C-alpha cells in the first residue's frame, strides 16, 4: 500500500472512530428516534432547568425509566427561561416548567398554553453576605439586589417584603442576572444581595460567604414559583399523555416528601445524571431543613395564582386581568391528587 | 457596468436601496405567506420601534451603546497601539508575549462574562471591559504586523540621518505602519460594535444590546428584538463608513492601493 493509501485508511478509520464516539456519547437516541414515531405514539418533550423547583421532572424520568417499563416523556435540560419560552412558542417542546408570572405573561400575549400543575412550593430565598452590612430587610435600602427575571416570583416576593417594611420601589435597585452568576457576584461584592431559587442560596451558604436573610415562606405563605405548562394543542389531541405526565410529577412530589433518604437519593442521581451539579449541593438544598423546598400539595389553586396576577399588575409586568380559568386546566390535577407516591426505594434499581 | 467604470452618484444609492426594498418585500411576503404568529413583519417592527421612540428610550439606548463602545474601543486604542508598537519594535519581547496573546485572542467575550462580573461588578464597567477585550487584540496584532513589515531600509535611513530611536519610531516607523494600524482599528471597531449585545447582557439596564435581551425576556416582543438588530446593523454600517474616512487622509492614502 502506498503512502496515499495509508493516509486514506487512517483518515477513514479516524472518521469512523470519531463518528461512533459521537453517536455513543453525544446523541440522545431516544429523542432522535422519537421524531420518527407516528404522531399519536410520540413521546412529548418536557423542558426544565437545573433548579430544585423543577426536581420532580428528572425524578419522574429516572424512577419511571429504571423501575417501570420505560421513560414517560423526554426531559430536556435548558439553561434559561428565555430559551424554554422560545422552544415552547415554536412547538419544539410541548410541556415545560417555567415560572408562574412568565406563564401568565405568555398567556396574555396569546401563546396557547395552560397551567396544569405546580413544580414545588417554597425553595426561594434572599441571600446577603455573611459579614455584610445587611442584618434585616430594612438595611436593604439603597442596595443592589439580583433577581432572576422581571417575570419571576422572586421579584414579587421582594415587593411583598418591601410592603411590610415600608420600603418604596425606588429605594432598592434590582438587576436581572443569570442565576449561575449571582453567587460569584455576591462574593465579589458586585451585588449586595440576591433572591433566587435553590440551589443557588445553598451554593452561597455552602461556600461560606452567603447568609439566608429570609426564606420565601416568611413573607409569602404557600409560595410557589415553577409550574408545569402544556401547549393547548397537546391537551386537545392527547389529554391521556398530559395526565400521565401530571401523574408522574405528582407521584414524584409525594415520593420526595415521604422521607429524608428519598431526598438524599434524589440529590444523588439528579445531581449526577441530570443537573451536572455536586450531589452534596442538592443534598444541602433538599434537607437543610427538609421544608426548605416542598413538593406537595401541587395542584394549582386559584388563590395562589390570583395573588401572583394582582402583584404582577401592581408592579407593571401584566396589563390584562386574566382569570384563573383562562390559563389553567385543573382536570389533570384533580385526577392526580388521588395518586400515591412512587413505589421506589433507594438502591432498588441499578443506575446506569 | 464594467468593474472599472465608476458608477454615477445616483446609482451608488439607488441600487442598494432597491436591494434593501426587495429584501423587505420578501420578508413581508414570507411572514404573510407562512402565517407565523411569532416572527414579526417589517411593519410590526416599525410600529414597535416607533412605540419606543415615543417613550423616549430608543435614543438613550443608542446613546448608551455608543458611549460604551467609544470608551471600550478608546481604551483599547490607547493601550493597544503602544503595546503593539513596542512588541513589533522588539521582536524578542514579542516572542515572549505572543503565545499568551494568541491563547487569549480567540476566547469569546461571552466566556469572559463571569470573570468580568467578579472583577468589575455589574453594570457599565464590566460591559466596557468586554468591549475593550474584543477590540484590544485586533489592534495589537495589526500594530505588530504593521511595524514588523516596515522595510528595514527605512530604519537604516532613519539611523543614518541621526534620528534617535524614539524619533525613528515616531517619525518613520509609526507613519509607515499607519495604514495597517488603521485596518486594525477598523476591524476592532467592527468587533466592538459586534460584542455590544454580549456586553450588555451583564445586568446593565440600557443600550441596544440590553434592548435585544430585554425584549427577548419580556415574552413575545420579537418585533423589538428584530428592530434592535436592524438598528445595530445600521449603526455598524455608519461606524464603518466613518472610520473608512480615516483611510482617505492624505498621509496614509499611499497604503491603500485600491482606495479611491
Amino acid at each position: 500500500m502506498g503512502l496515499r493509501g495509508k493516509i486514506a485508511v487512517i483518515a477513514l478509520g479516524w472518521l469512523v472512530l470519531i463518528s461512533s464516539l459521537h453517536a455513543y456519547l453525544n446523541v440522545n437516541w431516544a429523542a432522535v428516534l422519537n421524531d420518527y414515531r407516528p404522531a399519536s405514539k410520540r413521546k412529548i418533550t418536557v423542558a426544565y432547568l437545573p433548579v430544585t423547583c423543577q426536581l420532580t421532572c428528572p425524578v419522574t424520568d429516572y424512577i419511571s425509566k429504571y423501575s417501570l417499563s420505560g421513560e414517560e416523556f423526554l426531559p430536556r435540560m435548558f439553561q434559561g427561561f428565555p430559551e424554554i419560552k422560545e422552544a415552547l412558542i415554536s412547538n419544539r417542546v410541548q410541556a415545560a416548567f417555567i415560572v408562574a408570572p412568565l406563564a401568565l405573561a405568555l398567556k396574555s400575549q396569546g401563546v396557547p398554553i395552560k397551567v396544569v400543575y405546580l413544580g414545588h412550593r417554597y425553595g426561594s430565598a434572599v441571600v446577603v453576605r455573611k459579614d455584610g452590612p445587611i442584618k434585616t430587610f430594612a438595611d436593604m435600602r439603597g442596595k443592589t439586589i439580583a433577581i432572576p427575571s422581571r417575570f419571576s416570583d422572586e421579584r414579587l416576593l421582594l415587593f411583598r417584603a418591601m410592603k411590610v417594611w415600608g420600603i418604596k420601589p425606588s429605594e432598592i435597585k434590582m438587576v436581572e442576572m443569570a442565576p449561575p452568576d449571582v453567587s460569584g457576584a455576591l462574593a465579589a461584592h458586585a451585588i449586595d444581595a440576591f433572591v433566587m431559587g435553590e440551589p443557588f442560596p445553598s451554593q452561597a451558604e455552602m461556600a461560606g460567604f452567603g447568609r439566608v436573610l429570609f426564606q420565601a415562606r416568611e413573607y409569602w405563605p404557600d409560595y410557589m414559583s415553577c409550574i408545569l405548562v402544556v401547549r393547548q394543542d397537546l391537551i386537545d389531541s392527547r389529554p391521556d399523555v398530559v395526565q400521565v405526565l401530571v401523574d408522574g410529577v405528582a407521584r414524584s412530589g409525594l415520593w420526595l416528601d415521604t422521607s429524608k433518604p428519598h431526598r438524599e437519593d434524589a440529590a444523588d442521581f439528579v445531581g449526577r445524571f441530570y443537573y451536572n451539579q455536586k450531589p452534596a449541593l442538592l443534598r444541602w438544598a433538599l434537607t437543610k431543613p427538609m421544608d426548605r423546598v416542598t413538593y406537595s400539595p401541587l395542584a394549582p389553586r386559584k388563590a395562589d395564582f390570583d395573588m401572583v396576577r394582582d402583584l404582577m399588575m401592581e408592579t407593571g409586568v401584566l396589563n390584562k386581568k386574566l382569570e384563573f380559568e383562562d390559563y389553567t386546566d385543573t382536570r389533570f390535577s384533580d385526577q392526580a391528587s388521588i395518586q400515591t407516591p412512587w413505589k421506589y426505594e433507594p438502591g432498588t434499581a441499578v443506575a446506569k | 457596468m464594467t468593474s472599472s467604470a465608476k458608477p454615477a452618484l445616483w446609482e451608488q444609492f439607488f441600487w442598494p436601496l432597491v436591494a434593501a426594498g426587495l429584501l423587505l418585500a420578501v420578508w413581508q411576503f414570507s411572514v404573510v405567506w407562512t402565517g407565523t404568529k411569532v416572527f414579526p413583519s417589517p411593519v410590526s417592527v416599525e410600529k414597535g420601534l416607533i412605540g419606543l421612540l415615543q417613550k423616549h428610550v430608543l435614543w438613550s439606548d443608542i446613546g448608551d451603546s455608543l458611549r460604551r463602545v467609544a470608551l471600550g474601543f478608546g481604551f483599547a486604542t490607547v493601550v493597544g497601539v503602544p503595546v503593539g508598537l513596542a512588541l513589533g519594535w522588539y521582536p524578542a519581547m514579542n516572542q515572549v508575549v505572543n503565545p499568551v496573546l494568541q491563547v487569549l485572542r480567540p476566547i469569546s467575550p461571552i466566556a469572559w462574562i463571569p470573570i468580568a462580573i467578579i472583577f468589575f461588578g455589574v453594570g457599565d464597567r464590566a460591559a466596557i471591559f468586554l468591549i475593550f477585550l474584543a477590540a484590544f487584540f485586533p489592534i495589537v496584532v495589526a500594530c505588530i504586523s504593521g511595524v514588523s513589515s516596515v522595510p528595514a531600509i527605512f530604519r537604516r535611513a532613519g539611523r543614518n540621518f541621526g534620528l534617535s530611536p524614539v524619533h525613528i519610531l515616531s517619525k518613520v516607523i509609526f507613519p509607515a505602519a499607519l495604514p495597517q494600524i488603521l485596518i486594525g482599528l477598523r476591524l476592532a471597531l467592527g468587533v466592538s460594535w459586534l460584542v455590544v449585545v454580549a456586553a450588555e447582557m451583564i445586568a446593565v439596564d440600557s443600550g441596544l444590546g440590553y434592548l435585544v435581551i430585554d425584549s427577548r425576556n419580556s415574552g413575545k416582543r420579537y418585533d423589538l428584538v428584530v428592530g434592535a438588530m436592524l438598528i445595530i446593523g445600521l449603526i455598524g454600517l455608519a461606524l464603518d463608513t466613518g472610520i473608512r474616512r480615516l483611510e482617505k487622509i492624505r498621509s496614509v492614502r499611499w497604503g491603500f492601493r485600491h482606495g479611491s
Side-chain angles (χ1 to χ4, degrees):
Chain A
M1 201 191 296
L3 180 65
R4 215 177 263 188
K6 268 185 198 160
I7 292 177
V9 167
I10 291 173
L12 196 71
W14 179 250
L15 195 70
V16 169
L17 178 74
I18 288 293
S19 306
S20 42
L21 274 176
H22 172 71
Y24 176 65
L25 295 170
N26 299 336
V27 177
N28 181 355
W29 287 105
V32 172
L33 294 177
N34 190 47
D35 289 346
Y36 294 96
R37 284 195 189 144
S40 58
K41 289 196 178 142
R42 210 171 283 166
K43 288 204 158 61
I44 59 165
T45 309
V46 182
Y48 70 96
L49 290 184
V51 293
T52 56
C53 305
Q54 310 184 359
L55 199 74
T56 47
C57 181
V59 168
T60 307
D61 184 59
Y62 185 86
I63 294 182
S64 57
K65 206 192 253 173
Y66 288 103
S67 68
L68 299 176
S69 51
E71 81 269 319
E72 300 186 323
F73 53 88
L74 296 171
R76 181 128 178 232
M77 186 162 85
F78 281 69
Q79 289 302 333
F81 287 118
E83 292 88 340
I84 291 189
K85 176 199 75 185
E86 279 145 20
L88 193 62
I89 289 177
S90 56
N91 203 5
R92 297 285 189 272
V93 305
Q94 291 77 43
F97 285 87
I98 59 176
V99 276
L102 182 59
L104 264 64
L106 288 178
K107 190 68 197 177
S108 80
Q109 292 168 354
V111 179
I113 50 169
K114 283 273 168 67
V115 176
V116 294
Y117 214 54
L118 303 187
H120 75 122
R121 286 190 186 273
Y122 308 116
S124 292
V126 171
V127 178
V128 297
R129 268 193 301 283
K130 204 173 188 176
D131 49 357
I134 302 174
K135 302 293 176 210
T136 66
F137 195 73
D139 301 329
M140 203 70 95
R141 281 196 178 85
K143 298 288 196 293
T144 304
I145 180 164
I147 58 171
S149 144
R150 196 168 1 149
F151 296 106
S152 62
D153 304 79
E154 282 85 357
R155 174 174 172 276
L156 301 178
L157 175 66
L158 280 185
F159 278 102
R160 279 183 71 97
M162 282 155 72
K163 236 184 252 174
V164 171
W165 289 86
I167 299 176
K168 285 197 249 354
S170 58
E171 289 180 294
I172 291 184
K173 185 168 192 267
M174 294 186 196
V175 291
E176 290 180 66
M177 276 180 83
D181 287 341
V182 292
S183 219
L186 185 74
H189 293 232
I191 49 175
D192 301 299
F194 67 76
V195 53
M196 291 283 159
E198 294 288 355
F200 300 105
S202 294
Q203 194 184 7
E205 260 191 341
M206 262 179 96
F209 56 80
R211 181 173 70 87
V212 171
L213 187 66
F214 64 80
Q215 295 280 357
R217 65 174 72 242
E218 284 183 41
Y219 293 90
W220 189 328
D222 293 337
Y223 174 87
M224 51 153 201
S225 69
C226 288
I227 53 162
L228 177 62
V229 296
V230 176
R231 281 181 61 93
Q232 184 67 49
D233 44 4
L234 186 72
I235 293 180
D236 294 341
S237 61
R238 301 172 68 192
D240 51 319
V241 173
V242 180
Q243 187 65 56
V244 170
L245 173 65
V246 171
D247 286 350
V249 172
R251 301 185 73 185
S252 297
L254 292 169
W255 181 82
L256 279 165
D257 278 359
T258 316
S259 71
K260 199 171 169 189
H262 284 182
R263 288 201 167 194
E264 285 171 345
D265 191 46
D268 203 45
F269 65 70
V270 172
R272 280 159 63 203
F273 302 128
Y274 293 88
Y275 285 5
N276 197 19
Q277 287 167 352
K278 283 193 190 118
L281 172 64
L282 278 173
R283 206 174 270 237
W284 182 298
L286 288 175
T287 58
K288 288 190 173 196
M290 284 279 281
D291 62 355
R292 197 168 177 138
V293 46
T294 59
Y295 296 96
S296 56
L298 296 181
R301 289 192 316 213
K302 187 172 182 328
D304 294 336
F305 279 89
D306 281 353
M307 190 165 83
V308 167
R309 178 200 61 193
D310 293 344
L311 272 168
M312 282 177 78
M313 293 181 69
E314 202 181 316
T315 57
V317 285
L318 187 71
N319 49 20
K320 236 192 248 173
K321 197 165 168 91
L322 293 170
E323 288 307 326
F324 183 67
E325 294 74 29
D326 299 341
Y327 56 83
T328 51
D329 203 327
T330 49
R331 65 183 136 142
F332 303 107
S333 60
D334 289 346
Q335 290 182 35
S337 58
I338 53 164
Q339 289 287 344
T340 48
W342 292 113
K343 287 192 182 58
Y344 172 83
E345 287 309 314
T348 52
V350 184
K352 199 164 53 172
Chain B
M1 193 170 69
T2 59
S3 61
S4 60
K6 196 170 183 278
L9 192 65
W10 68 270
E11 274 186 312
Q12 282 181 24
F13 292 97
F14 180 72
W15 293 114
L17 281 177
V18 169
L22 266 178
L23 185 72
L24 287 179
V26 170
W27 173 6
Q28 171 79 32
F29 173 76
S30 327
V31 170
V32 174
W33 184 58
T34 56
T36 170
K37 295 226 166 45
V38 184
F39 196 80
S41 68
V43 180
S44 60
V45 168
E46 191 210 338
K47 271 189 200 142
L49 288 180
I50 287 175
L52 281 188
L53 271 177
Q54 281 160 352
K55 278 195 279 174
H56 301 288
V57 290
L58 192 54
W59 288 116
S60 65
D61 276 341
I62 291 175
D64 282 341
S65 283
L66 282 173
R67 180 173 52 84
R68 288 184 190 120
V69 168
L71 284 170
F73 176 71
F75 285 133
T77 311
V78 170
V79 181
V81 171
V83 168
L85 289 179
L87 290 180
W89 188 240
Y90 298 109
M93 200 153 90
N94 190 21
Q95 271 185 353
V96 176
V97 181
N98 198 41
V100 177
L101 217 59
Q102 298 306 332
V103 168
L104 291 177
R105 201 161 67 94
I107 302 173
S108 160
I110 296 174
W112 282 91
I113 287 180
I115 307 217
I117 292 176
I118 290 171
F119 283 154
F120 296 96
V122 292
D124 254 10
R125 277 167 50 205
I128 292 167
F129 170 69
L130 286 195
I131 294 168
F132 166 83
L133 267 184
F136 180 71
F137 296 110
I139 292 178
V140 171
V141 170
C143 287
I144 294 175
S145 97
V147 172
S148 47
S149 63
V150 173
I153 194 166
F154 284 21
R155 305 183 188 198
R156 285 205 296 274
R159 222 172 287 142
N160 286 348
F161 279 112
L163 292 179
S164 65
V166 176
H167 274 108
I168 294 182
L169 194 61
S170 65
K171 295 265 157 67
V172 180
I173 304 294
F174 181 69
L178 199 53
Q180 284 219 36
I181 295 177
L182 283 184
I183 291 178
L185 288 181
R186 186 179 156 200
L187 277 177
L189 185 62
V191 177
S192 340
W193 190 246
L194 201 70
V195 300
V196 82
V197 176
E200 286 172 349
M201 279 163 77
I202 317 177
V204 295
D205 50 11
S206 63
L208 290 168
Y210 170 77
L211 181 58
V212 172
I213 291 148
D214 192 52
S215 319
R216 181 190 183 194
N217 287 339
S218 61
K220 243 176 70 175
R221 290 311 299 272
Y222 297 107
D223 52 337
L224 295 185
V225 172
V226 176
M229 283 165 67
L230 285 180
I231 295 178
I232 290 173
L234 287 174
I235 294 179
L237 174 70
L239 287 178
D240 194 56
T241 317
I243 200 160
R244 284 186 78 167
R245 300 209 154 250
L246 286 180
E247 296 172 0
K248 296 192 176 160
I249 296 171
R250 185 181 294 263
S251 59
V252 293
R253 254 170 80 171
W254 59 268
F256 298 92
R257 252 167 277 158
H258 305 291
S260 50

